[in-house]
Amino acid sequence: MRIALRIALAASAALLTLGVAQAQEKTLRIGTEGAYPPFNNLTADGQLVGFDIDIAKALCDEMKVKCTFVAQDWDGIIPALQAGKFDAIVASMSITPERKEKVDFTNKYYNTPSALAVPKDSTLKGVTKEDLAGKNIGVATTTTHFNYASKTYTDSTVKGYPSSPEEQADLANGRLDAIEDDIVVLQQWLDTPDGACCKILGQPSPQPVEIFGPGAGIAVRKGETDLVNKFNAAIDAIRANGKYKEINDKYFKFDVYGAES
């Protein structure tokens, strides 16, 4: 009887251990920046909010996994993923050939264009290289916008910033002639008292795919194809079942997904 009881207890313990391990395997750690409203932002009490966060939660629900979030400075977000600090990046990261050498991407989950903003009293008339010659342009570094500005506005001074709020502050304070960023990020800032100083000047055209990529995707470590496939299936599912539209309409008055690709 004692032997049978010991075997039963051992079996129960083994099953419990397996159950705990499986539960741990079903927890995904999501890395995001927390300084890119309305896509991701840290509230005063330290909560991560925004479109990226809501989309990530919806995808995790669809995949039936638990999600936890990790705030990470943009400059170090890919190295942190590679080092195992989190399992995926949901942070409005554009899918580009350069980044695909370091990480694997899902399909896009949204795609919005780049734009430039200037002070309301600016005399600038356009967004070409010639229009901006001799001007100071602020852009967040290690972004597609910075890559575009650096390659296009070679007759201008392109100044890099850690994140969007810093470049916005310098434009408002007269230290810059223009800033380049995602049009949604710019418009949200312009709609606040801090952004009342400024206006959208225009969108660079064309917006080359080799620089801007096909849109923002979810990044995972190289070779994690199964996770990519699960995310892709979940993206398709929330687009089909209305959850994506529900989140979209919470933040935007248009379909931020962009054209079907």
Side-chain angles (χ1 to χ4, degrees), residues 191-202:
D191 290 339
T192 68
D194 289 341
C197 59
C198 304
K199 64 182 180 180
I200 297 288
L201 177 63

Side-chain angles (χ1 to χ4, degrees), residues 21-256:
Q22 288 175 335
Q24 289 173 338
E25 289 172 359
K26 292 182 180 179
T27 298
L28 275 180
R29 296 163 299 164
I30 306 294
T32 194
E33 183 187 14
Y36 198 61
F39 295 102
N40 58 78
N41 196 39
L42 271 171
T43 63
D45 60 353
Q47 298 298 308
L48 282 163
V49 297
F51 178 79
D52 287 330
I53 310 305
D54 288 355
I55 287 291
K57 289 177 179 177
L59 295 176
C60 288
D61 287 346
E62 186 66 35
M63 295 188 293
K64 296 180 171 56
V65 297
K66 179 183 176 182
C67 272
T68 59
F69 291 89
V70 180
Q72 170 67 49
D73 289 344
W74 181 257
D75 287 356
I77 203 164
I78 286 180
L81 172 70
Q82 293 170 324
K85 186 174 180 180
F86 33 79
D87 305 301
I89 297 171
V90 185
S92 295
M93 180 171 283
S94 297
I95 303 164
T96 65
E98 180 183 6
R99 289 178 180 146
K100 286 171 77 171
E101 293 177 1
K102 302 173 183 177
V103 298
D104 286 344
F105 278 103
T106 64
N107 298 333
K108 73 168 186 178
Y109 65 96
Y110 83 83
N111 188 17
T112 51
S114 182
L116 283 94
V118 297
K120 283 182 176 177
D121 61 359
S122 173
T123 58
L124 288 169
K125 303 298 183 184
V127 298
T128 67
K129 174 182 177 179
E130 292 74 23
D131 289 324
L132 289 159
K135 303 301 182 181
N136 296 311
I137 306 171
V139 197
T141 56
T142 68
T143 65
T144 53
H145 309 290
F146 185 82
N147 292 343
Y148 178 84
S150 299
K151 292 179 180 179
T152 303
Y153 301 120
T154 52
D155 294 333
S156 308
T157 299
V158 177
K159 183 177 180 182
Y161 289 81
S163 63
S164 298
E166 288 90 347
E167 72 189 40
Q168 293 165 359
D170 271 8
L171 182 65
N173 292 327
R175 300 188 186 97
L176 294 169
D177 299 299
I179 59 174
E180 183 177 349
D181 212 328
D182 185 284
I183 193 169
V184 174
V185 172
L186 289 175
Q187 190 59 61
Q188 169 142 328
W189 172 60
L190 295 175
D191 290 339
T192 68
D194 289 341
C197 59
C198 304
K199 64 182 180 180
I200 297 288
L201 177 63
Q203 299 176 31
S205 181
Q207 303 215 0
V209 175
E210 62 270 18
I211 294 179
F212 290 106
I218 298 166
V220 304
R221 283 181 288 276
K222 275 288 189 182
E224 297 192 354
T225 306
D226 185 55
L227 185 55
V228 168
N229 291 338
K230 287 178 179 177
F231 270 124
N232 281 338
I235 292 169
D236 291 342
I238 66 171
R239 287 282 295 168
N241 66 20
K243 186 64 179 179
Y244 186 98
K245 186 178 187 306
E246 177 187 326
I247 297 169
N248 182 101
D249 293 352
K250 176 180 174 182
Y251 294 95
F252 312 112
K253 296 178 181 178
F254 59 93
D255 185 0
V256 76

